[in-house]
Amino acid sequence: MFYAAVLCGVSANESVLKNGGFESLDRWGKALHNQNFAAVSQDKVDYIEGEKSLRMQINDSPRVYICVSQHLNLKASDRIAKGSFQYKAPNSSGMFLLNFYGKKGLKNLAINLPQTSEWKKIEFDHIFGEGAKSARIEIRLNKKGFMLVDDVKI
């Protein structure tokens, strides 16, 4: 959830992020950067919550990362981003980014996701500052291999 001094009109069970469990890929944009050996899909075998997770896969040496992203509208009073997600990257690595737009001087969040063969939960509590109008969440896969992501909450 995005919080200010009080919960900014978002109830504890409501998220500004849509489809964070990846039961659907609606609202998630994807960028494969014209690399036909890369794919973004749903994994119906290995997941944490629901019946699917996000699967990002690169089958050759990439020129650049691949990613999925979602744009989030914020309230003027939002100052803090709290959230969590789980990932598994048995033979690759990735990155989780949360970029804020609006007033200059906002502090973005970047979390490196090193290789791991087990599901790993990441939690964050990030103060980004005043004047943000929107944010963009981006999940990247950086090199050959695959990564699974599930249960993204913001």
PDB file of all heavy atoms in Angstrom, residues 96-131:
ATOM      1  N   PHE A  96      14.075  -5.564  -9.312  1.00  0.00           N
ATOM      2  CA  PHE A  96      12.760  -5.005  -9.029  1.00  0.00           C
ATOM      3  C   PHE A  96      12.954  -3.499  -8.903  1.00  0.00           C
ATOM      4  O   PHE A  96      13.787  -3.045  -8.113  1.00  0.00           O
ATOM      5  CB  PHE A  96      12.206  -5.583  -7.718  1.00  0.00           C
ATOM      6  CG  PHE A  96      10.897  -5.007  -7.290  1.00  0.00           C
ATOM      7  CD1 PHE A  96       9.719  -5.601  -7.686  1.00  0.00           C
ATOM      8  CD2 PHE A  96      10.844  -3.885  -6.475  1.00  0.00           C
ATOM      9  CE1 PHE A  96       8.493  -5.081  -7.282  1.00  0.00           C
ATOM     10  CE2 PHE A  96       9.636  -3.355  -6.067  1.00  0.00           C
ATOM     11  CZ  PHE A  96       8.448  -3.957  -6.475  1.00  0.00           C
ATOM     12  N   LEU A  97      12.212  -2.723  -9.689  1.00  0.00           N
ATOM     13  CA  LEU A  97      12.338  -1.264  -9.681  1.00  0.00           C
ATOM     14  C   LEU A  97      10.997  -0.621  -9.380  1.00  0.00           C
ATOM     15  O   LEU A  97       9.956  -1.086  -9.854  1.00  0.00           O
ATOM     16  CB  LEU A  97      12.815  -0.755 -11.040  1.00  0.00           C
ATOM     17  CG  LEU A  97      14.163  -1.267 -11.519  1.00  0.00           C
ATOM     18  CD1 LEU A  97      14.334  -1.007 -12.996  1.00  0.00           C
ATOM     19  CD2 LEU A  97      15.265  -0.611 -10.729  1.00  0.00           C
ATOM     20  N   LEU A  98      11.025   0.456  -8.630  1.00  0.00           N
ATOM     21  CA  LEU A  98       9.856   1.278  -8.388  1.00  0.00           C
ATOM     22  C   LEU A  98      10.304   2.714  -8.613  1.00  0.00           C
ATOM     23  O   LEU A  98      11.075   3.267  -7.831  1.00  0.00           O
ATOM     24  CB  LEU A  98       9.355   1.053  -6.958  1.00  0.00           C
ATOM     25  CG  LEU A  98       7.960   1.492  -6.596  1.00  0.00           C
ATOM     26  CD1 LEU A  98       6.901   1.013  -7.579  1.00  0.00           C
ATOM     27  CD2 LEU A  98       7.607   1.030  -5.196  1.00  0.00           C
ATOM     28  N   ASN A  99       9.875   3.288  -9.748  1.00  0.00           N
ATOM     29  CA  ASN A  99      10.268   4.642 -10.132  1.00  0.00           C
ATOM     30  C   ASN A  99       9.097   5.590  -9.926  1.00  0.00           C
ATOM     31  O   ASN A  99       7.960   5.265 -10.272  1.00  0.00           O
ATOM     32  CB  ASN A  99      10.706   4.675 -11.600  1.00  0.00           C
ATOM     33  CG  ASN A  99      11.952   3.858 -11.822  1.00  0.00           C
ATOM     34  OD1 ASN A  99      12.897   3.956 -11.068  1.00  0.00           O
ATOM     35  ND2 ASN A  99      11.938   3.036 -12.846  1.00  0.00           N
ATOM     36  N   PHE A 100       9.380   6.767  -9.385  1.00  0.00           N
ATOM     37  CA  PHE A 100       8.356   7.750  -9.064  1.00  0.00           C
ATOM     38  C   PHE A 100       8.473   8.949  -9.981  1.00  0.00           C
ATOM     39  O   PHE A 100       9.580   9.387 -10.313  1.00  0.00           O
ATOM     40  CB  PHE A 100       8.486   8.171  -7.593  1.00  0.00           C
ATOM     41  CG  PHE A 100       8.269   7.018  -6.663  1.00  0.00           C
ATOM     42  CD1 PHE A 100       9.335   6.255  -6.212  1.00  0.00           C
ATOM     43  CD2 PHE A 100       6.992   6.667  -6.275  1.00  0.00           C
ATOM     44  CE1 PHE A 100       9.135   5.166  -5.384  1.00  0.00           C
ATOM     45  CE2 PHE A 100       6.776   5.583  -5.444  1.00  0.00           C
ATOM     46  CZ  PHE A 100       7.848   4.827  -4.997  1.00  0.00           C
ATOM     47  N   TYR A 101       7.313   9.513 -10.387  1.00  0.00           N
ATOM     48  CA  TYR A 101       7.265  10.626 -11.331  1.00  0.00           C
ATOM     49  C   TYR A 101       6.454  11.765 -10.743  1.00  0.00           C
ATOM     50  O   TYR A 101       5.466  11.541 -10.052  1.00  0.00           O
ATOM     51  CB  TYR A 101       6.636  10.159 -12.651  1.00  0.00           C
ATOM     52  CG  TYR A 101       7.378   8.986 -13.237  1.00  0.00           C
ATOM     53  CD1 TYR A 101       6.927   7.683 -13.033  1.00  0.00           C
ATOM     54  CD2 TYR A 101       8.552   9.173 -13.956  1.00  0.00           C
ATOM     55  CE1 TYR A 101       7.614   6.605 -13.545  1.00  0.00           C
ATOM     56  CE2 TYR A 101       9.246   8.092 -14.477  1.00  0.00           C
ATOM     57  CZ  TYR A 101       8.768   6.818 -14.264  1.00  0.00           C
ATOM     58  OH  TYR A 101       9.457   5.738 -14.767  1.00  0.00           O
ATOM     59  N   GLY A 102       6.874  12.981 -11.040  1.00  0.00           N
ATOM     60  CA  GLY A 102       6.210  14.179 -10.526  1.00  0.00           C
ATOM     61  C   GLY A 102       7.276  15.208 -10.220  1.00  0.00           C
ATOM     62  O   GLY A 102       8.073  15.585 -11.067  1.00  0.00           O
ATOM     63  N   LYS A 103       7.342  15.615  -8.986  1.00  0.00           N
ATOM     64  CA  LYS A 103       8.309  16.611  -8.522  1.00  0.00           C
ATOM     65  C   LYS A 103       9.732  16.042  -8.591  1.00  0.00           C
ATOM     66  O   LYS A 103       9.958  14.861  -8.352  1.00  0.00           O
ATOM     67  CB  LYS A 103       7.958  16.964  -7.069  1.00  0.00           C
ATOM     68  CG  LYS A 103       8.799  18.036  -6.463  1.00  0.00           C
ATOM     69  CD  LYS A 103       8.311  18.291  -5.044  1.00  0.00           C
ATOM     70  CE  LYS A 103       9.253  19.214  -4.319  1.00  0.00           C
ATOM     71  NZ  LYS A 103       8.837  19.413  -2.935  1.00  0.00           N
ATOM     72  N   LYS A 104      10.696  16.894  -8.904  1.00  0.00           N
ATOM     73  CA  LYS A 104      12.106  16.472  -8.930  1.00  0.00           C
ATOM     74  C   LYS A 104      12.566  16.117  -7.518  1.00  0.00           C
ATOM     75  O   LYS A 104      12.053  16.635  -6.541  1.00  0.00           O
ATOM     76  CB  LYS A 104      12.988  17.582  -9.492  1.00  0.00           C
ATOM     77  CG  LYS A 104      12.773  17.798 -10.959  1.00  0.00           C
ATOM     78  CD  LYS A 104      13.777  18.771 -11.525  1.00  0.00           C
ATOM     79  CE  LYS A 104      13.507  18.904 -13.004  1.00  0.00           C
ATOM     80  NZ  LYS A 104      14.569  19.526 -13.717  1.00  0.00           N
ATOM     81  N   GLY A 105      13.539  15.222  -7.437  1.00  0.00           N
ATOM     82  CA  GLY A 105      14.104  14.849  -6.154  1.00  0.00           C
ATOM     83  C   GLY A 105      13.453  13.638  -5.505  1.00  0.00           C
ATOM     84  O   GLY A 105      13.782  13.300  -4.368  1.00  0.00           O
ATOM     85  N   LEU A 106      12.539  12.977  -6.205  1.00  0.00           N
ATOM     86  CA  LEU A 106      11.910  11.772  -5.647  1.00  0.00           C
ATOM     87  C   LEU A 106      12.927  10.639  -5.617  1.00  0.00           C
ATOM     88  O   LEU A 106      13.774  10.526  -6.502  1.00  0.00           O
ATOM     89  CB  LEU A 106      10.688  11.380  -6.473  1.00  0.00           C
ATOM     90  CG  LEU A 106       9.553  12.404  -6.462  1.00  0.00           C
ATOM     91  CD1 LEU A 106       8.496  12.035  -7.484  1.00  0.00           C
ATOM     92  CD2 LEU A 106       8.940  12.503  -5.075  1.00  0.00           C
ATOM     93  N   LYS A 107      12.845   9.794  -4.608  1.00  0.00           N
ATOM     94  CA  LYS A 107      13.801   8.696  -4.442  1.00  0.00           C
ATOM     95  C   LYS A 107      13.211   7.401  -4.972  1.00  0.00           C
ATOM     96  O   LYS A 107      12.217   6.890  -4.442  1.00  0.00           O
ATOM     97  CB  LYS A 107      14.164   8.544  -2.967  1.00  0.00           C
ATOM     98  CG  LYS A 107      14.882   9.757  -2.427  1.00  0.00           C
ATOM     99  CD  LYS A 107      15.162   9.613  -0.954  1.00  0.00           C
ATOM    100  CE  LYS A 107      15.793  10.889  -0.434  1.00  0.00           C
ATOM    101  NZ  LYS A 107      15.851  10.918   1.012  1.00  0.00           N
ATOM    102  N   ASN A 108      13.827   6.866  -6.028  1.00  0.00           N
ATOM    103  CA  ASN A 108      13.389   5.605  -6.608  1.00  0.00           C
ATOM    104  C   ASN A 108      13.924   4.433  -5.798  1.00  0.00           C
ATOM    105  O   ASN A 108      14.853   4.575  -5.011  1.00  0.00           O
ATOM    106  CB  ASN A 108      13.856   5.505  -8.060  1.00  0.00           C
ATOM    107  CG  ASN A 108      13.213   6.568  -8.935  1.00  0.00           C
ATOM    108  OD1 ASN A 108      12.061   6.927  -8.736  1.00  0.00           O
ATOM    109  ND2 ASN A 108      13.950   7.074  -9.899  1.00  0.00           N
ATOM    110  N   LEU A 109      13.335   3.259  -6.005  1.00  0.00           N
ATOM    111  CA  LEU A 109      13.731   2.049  -5.304  1.00  0.00           C
ATOM    112  C   LEU A 109      14.227   1.028  -6.324  1.00  0.00           C
ATOM    113  O   LEU A 109      13.570   0.803  -7.340  1.00  0.00           O
ATOM    114  CB  LEU A 109      12.521   1.477  -4.544  1.00  0.00           C
ATOM    115  CG  LEU A 109      12.690   0.119  -3.875  1.00  0.00           C
ATOM    116  CD1 LEU A 109      13.683   0.213  -2.722  1.00  0.00           C
ATOM    117  CD2 LEU A 109      11.348  -0.387  -3.380  1.00  0.00           C
ATOM    118  N   ALA A 110      15.383   0.433  -6.077  1.00  0.00           N
ATOM    119  CA  ALA A 110      15.921  -0.633  -6.928  1.00  0.00           C
ATOM    120  C   ALA A 110      16.406  -1.760  -6.020  1.00  0.00           C
ATOM    121  O   ALA A 110      17.185  -1.528  -5.100  1.00  0.00           O
ATOM    122  CB  ALA A 110      17.066  -0.111  -7.781  1.00  0.00           C
ATOM    123  N   ILE A 111      15.919  -2.974  -6.288  1.00  0.00           N
ATOM    124  CA  ILE A 111      16.307  -4.141  -5.499  1.00  0.00           C
ATOM    125  C   ILE A 111      16.883  -5.186  -6.450  1.00  0.00           C
ATOM    126  O   ILE A 111      16.175  -5.659  -7.350  1.00  0.00           O
ATOM    127  CB  ILE A 111      15.103  -4.736  -4.739  1.00  0.00           C
ATOM    128  CG1 ILE A 111      14.482  -3.691  -3.814  1.00  0.00           C
ATOM    129  CG2 ILE A 111      15.519  -5.988  -3.975  1.00  0.00           C
ATOM    130  CD1 ILE A 111      13.164  -4.122  -3.183  1.00  0.00           C
ATOM    131  N   ASN A 112      18.146  -5.526  -6.265  1.00  0.00           N
ATOM    132  CA  ASN A 112      18.755  -6.602  -7.056  1.00  0.00           C
ATOM    133  C   ASN A 112      18.195  -7.943  -6.600  1.00  0.00           C
ATOM    134  O   ASN A 112      18.010  -8.164  -5.400  1.00  0.00           O
ATOM    135  CB  ASN A 112      20.279  -6.601  -6.907  1.00  0.00           C
ATOM    136  CG  ASN A 112      20.906  -5.471  -7.676  1.00  0.00           C
ATOM    137  OD1 ASN A 112      20.559  -5.214  -8.821  1.00  0.00           O
ATOM    138  ND2 ASN A 112      21.841  -4.783  -7.041  1.00  0.00           N
ATOM    139  N   LEU A 113      17.959  -8.826  -7.560  1.00  0.00           N
ATOM    140  CA  LEU A 113      17.418 -10.146  -7.273  1.00  0.00           C
ATOM    141  C   LEU A 113      18.435 -11.194  -7.713  1.00  0.00           C
ATOM    142  O   LEU A 113      18.445 -11.630  -8.863  1.00  0.00           O
ATOM    143  CB  LEU A 113      16.089 -10.343  -8.019  1.00  0.00           C
ATOM    144  CG  LEU A 113      15.028  -9.265  -7.767  1.00  0.00           C
ATOM    145  CD1 LEU A 113      13.806  -9.510  -8.627  1.00  0.00           C
ATOM    146  CD2 LEU A 113      14.666  -9.199  -6.294  1.00  0.00           C
ATOM    147  N   PRO A 114      19.319 -11.611  -6.799  1.00  0.00           N
ATOM    148  CA  PRO A 114      20.339 -12.589  -7.156  1.00  0.00           C
ATOM    149  C   PRO A 114      19.741 -13.983  -7.365  1.00  0.00           C
ATOM    150  O   PRO A 114      18.617 -14.269  -6.957  1.00  0.00           O
ATOM    151  CB  PRO A 114      21.290 -12.577  -5.969  1.00  0.00           C
ATOM    152  CG  PRO A 114      20.497 -12.051  -4.833  1.00  0.00           C
ATOM    153  CD  PRO A 114      19.437 -11.160  -5.414  1.00  0.00           C
ATOM    154  N   GLN A 115      20.530 -14.821  -7.980  1.00  0.00           N
ATOM    155  CA  GLN A 115      20.134 -16.198  -8.247  1.00  0.00           C
ATOM    156  C   GLN A 115      19.739 -16.902  -6.953  1.00  0.00           C
ATOM    157  O   GLN A 115      20.410 -16.771  -5.940  1.00  0.00           O
ATOM    158  CB  GLN A 115      21.304 -16.915  -8.917  1.00  0.00           C
ATOM    159  CG  GLN A 115      21.019 -18.311  -9.374  1.00  0.00           C
ATOM    160  CD  GLN A 115      22.184 -18.870 -10.174  1.00  0.00           C
ATOM    161  OE1 GLN A 115      22.909 -18.148 -10.838  1.00  0.00           O
ATOM    162  NE2 GLN A 115      22.355 -20.187 -10.100  1.00  0.00           N
ATOM    163  N   THR A 116      18.628 -17.646  -6.984  1.00  0.00           N
ATOM    164  CA  THR A 116      18.187 -18.444  -5.842  1.00  0.00           C
ATOM    165  C   THR A 116      17.306 -19.581  -6.348  1.00  0.00           C
ATOM    166  O   THR A 116      16.443 -19.367  -7.196  1.00  0.00           O
ATOM    167  CB  THR A 116      17.420 -17.611  -4.790  1.00  0.00           C
ATOM    168  OG1 THR A 116      16.974 -18.476  -3.751  1.00  0.00           O
ATOM    169  CG2 THR A 116      16.239 -16.875  -5.360  1.00  0.00           C
ATOM    170  N   SER A 117      17.523 -20.769  -5.832  1.00  0.00           N
ATOM    171  CA  SER A 117      16.734 -21.924  -6.286  1.00  0.00           C
ATOM    172  C   SER A 117      15.458 -22.113  -5.464  1.00  0.00           C
ATOM    173  O   SER A 117      14.614 -22.921  -5.820  1.00  0.00           O
ATOM    174  CB  SER A 117      17.578 -23.201  -6.234  1.00  0.00           C
ATOM    175  OG  SER A 117      18.037 -23.416  -4.927  1.00  0.00           O
ATOM    176  N   GLU A 118      15.332 -21.376  -4.380  1.00  0.00           N
ATOM    177  CA  GLU A 118      14.128 -21.447  -3.540  1.00  0.00           C
ATOM    178  C   GLU A 118      13.368 -20.130  -3.637  1.00  0.00           C
ATOM    179  O   GLU A 118      13.953 -19.083  -3.883  1.00  0.00           O
ATOM    180  CB  GLU A 118      14.516 -21.694  -2.076  1.00  0.00           C
ATOM    181  CG  GLU A 118      15.280 -22.981  -1.839  1.00  0.00           C
ATOM    182  CD  GLU A 118      14.468 -24.217  -2.143  1.00  0.00           C
ATOM    183  OE1 GLU A 118      13.247 -24.219  -1.869  1.00  0.00           O
ATOM    184  OE2 GLU A 118      15.038 -25.185  -2.674  1.00  0.00           O
ATOM    185  N   TRP A 119      12.062 -20.163  -3.400  1.00  0.00           N
ATOM    186  CA  TRP A 119      11.279 -18.941  -3.350  1.00  0.00           C
ATOM    187  C   TRP A 119      11.804 -18.060  -2.221  1.00  0.00           C
ATOM    188  O   TRP A 119      12.051 -18.544  -1.124  1.00  0.00           O
ATOM    189  CB  TRP A 119       9.804 -19.251  -3.108  1.00  0.00           C
ATOM    190  CG  TRP A 119       9.082 -19.720  -4.339  1.00  0.00           C
ATOM    191  CD1 TRP A 119       8.808 -21.010  -4.667  1.00  0.00           C
ATOM    192  CD2 TRP A 119       8.554 -18.910  -5.382  1.00  0.00           C
ATOM    193  NE1 TRP A 119       8.133 -21.052  -5.864  1.00  0.00           N
ATOM    194  CE2 TRP A 119       7.961 -19.766  -6.328  1.00  0.00           C
ATOM    195  CE3 TRP A 119       8.523 -17.541  -5.631  1.00  0.00           C
ATOM    196  CZ2 TRP A 119       7.351 -19.304  -7.485  1.00  0.00           C
ATOM    197  CZ3 TRP A 119       7.909 -17.087  -6.786  1.00  0.00           C
ATOM    198  CH2 TRP A 119       7.329 -17.952  -7.697  1.00  0.00           C
ATOM    199  N   LYS A 120      11.989 -16.784  -2.514  1.00  0.00           N
ATOM    200  CA  LYS A 120      12.493 -15.832  -1.527  1.00  0.00           C
ATOM    201  C   LYS A 120      11.528 -14.648  -1.448  1.00  0.00           C
ATOM    202  O   LYS A 120      11.158 -14.079  -2.472  1.00  0.00           O
ATOM    203  CB  LYS A 120      13.881 -15.347  -1.935  1.00  0.00           C
ATOM    204  CG  LYS A 120      14.516 -14.423  -0.928  1.00  0.00           C
ATOM    205  CD  LYS A 120      15.940 -14.097  -1.307  1.00  0.00           C
ATOM    206  CE  LYS A 120      16.568 -13.199  -0.268  1.00  0.00           C
ATOM    207  NZ  LYS A 120      17.937 -12.852  -0.608  1.00  0.00           N
ATOM    208  N   LYS A 121      11.133 -14.294  -0.221  1.00  0.00           N
ATOM    209  CA  LYS A 121      10.235 -13.160  -0.022  1.00  0.00           C
ATOM    210  C   LYS A 121      11.047 -11.895   0.229  1.00  0.00           C
ATOM    211  O   LYS A 121      11.952 -11.895   1.066  1.00  0.00           O
ATOM    212  CB  LYS A 121       9.282 -13.409   1.141  1.00  0.00           C
ATOM    213  CG  LYS A 121       8.257 -12.300   1.311  1.00  0.00           C
ATOM    214  CD  LYS A 121       7.201 -12.649   2.322  1.00  0.00           C
ATOM    215  CE  LYS A 121       6.123 -11.573   2.339  1.00  0.00           C
ATOM    216  NZ  LYS A 121       5.016 -11.951   3.221  1.00  0.00           N
ATOM    217  N   ILE A 122      10.703 -10.835  -0.481  1.00  0.00           N
ATOM    218  CA  ILE A 122      11.339  -9.529  -0.321  1.00  0.00           C
ATOM    219  C   ILE A 122      10.269  -8.557   0.184  1.00  0.00           C
ATOM    220  O   ILE A 122       9.188  -8.480  -0.386  1.00  0.00           O
ATOM    221  CB  ILE A 122      11.904  -9.011  -1.662  1.00  0.00           C
ATOM    222  CG1 ILE A 122      12.855 -10.017  -2.305  1.00  0.00           C
ATOM    223  CG2 ILE A 122      12.533  -7.635  -1.488  1.00  0.00           C
ATOM    224  CD1 ILE A 122      14.149 -10.216  -1.565  1.00  0.00           C
ATOM    225  N   GLU A 123      10.584  -7.838   1.249  1.00  0.00           N
ATOM    226  CA  GLU A 123       9.686  -6.812   1.767  1.00  0.00           C
ATOM    227  C   GLU A 123      10.404  -5.467   1.732  1.00  0.00           C
ATOM    228  O   GLU A 123      11.609  -5.413   1.922  1.00  0.00           O
ATOM    229  CB  GLU A 123       9.264  -7.145   3.197  1.00  0.00           C
ATOM    230  CG  GLU A 123       8.447  -8.430   3.287  1.00  0.00           C
ATOM    231  CD  GLU A 123       8.043  -8.783   4.699  1.00  0.00           C
ATOM    232  OE1 GLU A 123       8.948  -8.944   5.540  1.00  0.00           O
ATOM    233  OE2 GLU A 123       6.829  -8.886   4.932  1.00  0.00           O
ATOM    234  N   PHE A 124       9.637  -4.412   1.477  1.00  0.00           N
ATOM    235  CA  PHE A 124      10.251  -3.083   1.458  1.00  0.00           C
ATOM    236  C   PHE A 124       9.310  -2.060   2.080  1.00  0.00           C
ATOM    237  O   PHE A 124       8.101  -2.218   2.093  1.00  0.00           O
ATOM    238  CB  PHE A 124      10.652  -2.670   0.039  1.00  0.00           C
ATOM    239  CG  PHE A 124       9.526  -2.674  -0.961  1.00  0.00           C
ATOM    240  CD1 PHE A 124       8.756  -1.546  -1.151  1.00  0.00           C
ATOM    241  CD2 PHE A 124       9.246  -3.810  -1.693  1.00  0.00           C
ATOM    242  CE1 PHE A 124       7.715  -1.549  -2.069  1.00  0.00           C
ATOM    243  CE2 PHE A 124       8.215  -3.828  -2.613  1.00  0.00           C
ATOM    244  CZ  PHE A 124       7.442  -2.686  -2.794  1.00  0.00           C
ATOM    245  N   ASP A 125       9.927  -1.032   2.629  1.00  0.00           N
ATOM    246  CA  ASP A 125       9.249   0.103   3.245  1.00  0.00           C
ATOM    247  C   ASP A 125      10.083   1.300   2.810  1.00  0.00           C
ATOM    248  O   ASP A 125      11.132   1.575   3.383  1.00  0.00           O
ATOM    249  CB  ASP A 125       9.244  -0.074   4.763  1.00  0.00           C
ATOM    250  CG  ASP A 125       8.416   0.971   5.474  1.00  0.00           C
ATOM    251  OD1 ASP A 125       8.022   1.969   4.835  1.00  0.00           O
ATOM    252  OD2 ASP A 125       8.172   0.793   6.672  1.00  0.00           O
ATOM    253  N   HIS A 126       9.647   1.981   1.757  1.00  0.00           N
ATOM    254  CA  HIS A 126      10.482   2.965   1.070  1.00  0.00           C
ATOM    255  C   HIS A 126       9.853   4.357   1.120  1.00  0.00           C
ATOM    256  O   HIS A 126       8.729   4.551   0.677  1.00  0.00           O
ATOM    257  CB  HIS A 126      10.670   2.524  -0.388  1.00  0.00           C
ATOM    258  CG  HIS A 126      11.460   3.468  -1.218  1.00  0.00           C
ATOM    259  ND1 HIS A 126      12.809   3.637  -1.051  1.00  0.00           N
ATOM    260  CD2 HIS A 126      11.082   4.304  -2.216  1.00  0.00           C
ATOM    261  CE1 HIS A 126      13.234   4.539  -1.928  1.00  0.00           C
ATOM    262  NE2 HIS A 126      12.214   4.957  -2.633  1.00  0.00           N
ATOM    263  N   ILE A 127      10.583   5.327   1.661  1.00  0.00           N
ATOM    264  CA  ILE A 127      10.130   6.718   1.680  1.00  0.00           C
ATOM    265  C   ILE A 127      10.621   7.368   0.392  1.00  0.00           C
ATOM    266  O   ILE A 127      11.822   7.474   0.158  1.00  0.00           O
ATOM    267  CB  ILE A 127      10.685   7.469   2.911  1.00  0.00           C
ATOM    268  CG1 ILE A 127      10.207   6.798   4.188  1.00  0.00           C
ATOM    269  CG2 ILE A 127      10.276   8.942   2.861  1.00  0.00           C
ATOM    270  CD1 ILE A 127      10.849   7.329   5.451  1.00  0.00           C
ATOM    271  N   PHE A 128       9.674   7.792  -0.473  1.00  0.00           N
ATOM    272  CA  PHE A 128      10.085   8.369  -1.760  1.00  0.00           C
ATOM    273  C   PHE A 128       9.964   9.879  -1.803  1.00  0.00           C
ATOM    274  O   PHE A 128      10.507  10.512  -2.699  1.00  0.00           O
ATOM    275  CB  PHE A 128       9.314   7.728  -2.926  1.00  0.00           C
ATOM    276  CG  PHE A 128       7.817   7.778  -2.810  1.00  0.00           C
ATOM    277  CD1 PHE A 128       7.093   8.882  -3.218  1.00  0.00           C
ATOM    278  CD2 PHE A 128       7.132   6.686  -2.310  1.00  0.00           C
ATOM    279  CE1 PHE A 128       5.719   8.909  -3.129  1.00  0.00           C
ATOM    280  CE2 PHE A 128       5.751   6.696  -2.219  1.00  0.00           C
ATOM    281  CZ  PHE A 128       5.039   7.818  -2.625  1.00  0.00           C
ATOM    282  N   GLY A 129       9.290  10.501  -0.856  1.00  0.00           N
ATOM    283  CA  GLY A 129       9.239  11.957  -0.790  1.00  0.00           C
ATOM    284  C   GLY A 129       7.899  12.531  -1.222  1.00  0.00           C
ATOM    285  O   GLY A 129       6.963  11.821  -1.544  1.00  0.00           O
ATOM    286  N   GLU A 130       7.832  13.864  -1.258  1.00  0.00           N
ATOM    287  CA  GLU A 130       6.599  14.580  -1.599  1.00  0.00           C
ATOM    288  C   GLU A 130       6.519  14.874  -3.084  1.00  0.00           C
ATOM    289  O   GLU A 130       7.534  15.039  -3.746  1.00  0.00           O
ATOM    290  CB  GLU A 130       6.556  15.917  -0.853  1.00  0.00           C
ATOM    291  CG  GLU A 130       6.414  15.782   0.629  1.00  0.00           C
ATOM    292  CD  GLU A 130       6.284  17.139   1.304  1.00  0.00           C
ATOM    293  OE1 GLU A 130       5.731  18.064   0.697  1.00  0.00           O
ATOM    294  OE2 GLU A 130       6.759  17.259   2.437  1.00  0.00           O
ATOM    295  N   GLY A 131       5.296  14.957  -3.579  1.00  0.00           N
ATOM    296  CA  GLY A 131       5.069  15.438  -4.934  1.00  0.00           C
ATOM    297  C   GLY A 131       5.011  14.383  -6.018  1.00  0.00           C
ATOM    298  O   GLY A 131       4.992  14.707  -7.199  1.00  0.00           O
TER     299      GLY A 131
END
